[in-house]
Amino acid sequence: MNLKYSNEEISFMVDNALAMKKLSIRECVRRFNEKHAQDIINNTIEPLNKDFLQRLRRNKFEVVSKRVRDICLFLEIDLGTRQSIKLRSSLTDQFMKFEQMLMVHPELEEKITRLLTNVTDVFYVGSQRD
């Protein structure tokens, strides 16, 4: 397979997929191993464990192995098609928390949008003074 993504980008996509699917490390491992139980018994797929998934999320892996590809396939991450990815900035985690909160409390979307607009306006006005 001709890889289209760096290890850092794969880590970002795995971390993002887990957040979007609202999967904890433990739950992801359980579901993966449950789905692939027969393949694990037949030794065609390695069982997933929390340590490996955590290393994959944190870009602490060296080779994009079959195991990495299997996890990406399970998380519906297409490693064969290159899409533009903006890697995490220092604010990305905070924005992801906002998005997760809004999934649970959609009634807050208007208030959060106004708050972020006001913060952006303050920075814009401040930058015009410099």
Side-chain angles (χ1 to χ4, degrees):
M1 170 183 238
N2 188 10
L3 287 178
K4 310 283 186 202
Y5 298 101
S6 69
N7 287 9
E8 184 179 10
E9 289 171 320
I10 292 170
S11 291
F12 176 76
M13 291 188 297
V14 167
D15 195 39
N16 205 33
L18 290 170
M20 295 305 288
K21 295 175 185 299
K22 298 181 181 177
L23 285 175
S24 67
I25 298 292
R26 183 175 305 219
E27 183 63 15
C28 181
V29 167
R30 186 191 67 75
R31 287 184 188 183
F32 179 91
N33 290 337
E34 186 177 275
K35 180 178 180 178
H36 296 290
Q38 193 59 47
D39 293 322
I40 291 169
I41 290 168
N42 295 334
N43 289 322
T44 56
I45 288 182
E46 284 189 62
L48 182 58
N49 58 52
K50 293 183 293 185
D51 180 59
F52 186 79
L53 185 55
Q54 195 70 279
R55 283 186 283 137
L56 185 56
R57 283 181 67 219
R58 300 290 174 227
N59 194 22
K60 304 290 185 200
F61 67 105
E62 307 234 349
V63 177
V64 180
S65 63
K66 180 182 181 313
R67 191 174 189 196
V68 171
R69 291 190 303 271
D70 289 339
I71 294 165
C72 288
L73 183 62
F74 173 75
L75 291 172
E76 300 173 339
I77 298 168
D78 183 2
L79 295 179
T81 306
R82 178 74 185 172
Q83 297 174 0
S84 177
I85 294 178
K86 182 176 182 195
L87 293 177
R88 185 179 313 245
S89 73
S90 60
L91 297 176
T92 301
D93 287 337
Q94 297 307 314
F95 287 120
M96 283 179 57
K97 287 177 187 176
F98 274 126
E99 289 177 357
Q100 290 169 354
M101 183 176 58
L102 291 176
M103 286 184 213
V104 177
H105 301 286
E107 70 276 6
L108 296 176
E109 184 171 357
E110 185 177 320
K111 290 179 181 180
I112 296 295
T113 300
R114 277 194 310 246
L115 173 67
L116 292 174
T117 299
N118 289 337
V119 169
T120 303
D121 289 346
V122 167
F123 282 111
Y124 178 75
V125 170
S127 70
Q128 295 300 309
R129 291 183 189 157
D130 293 339

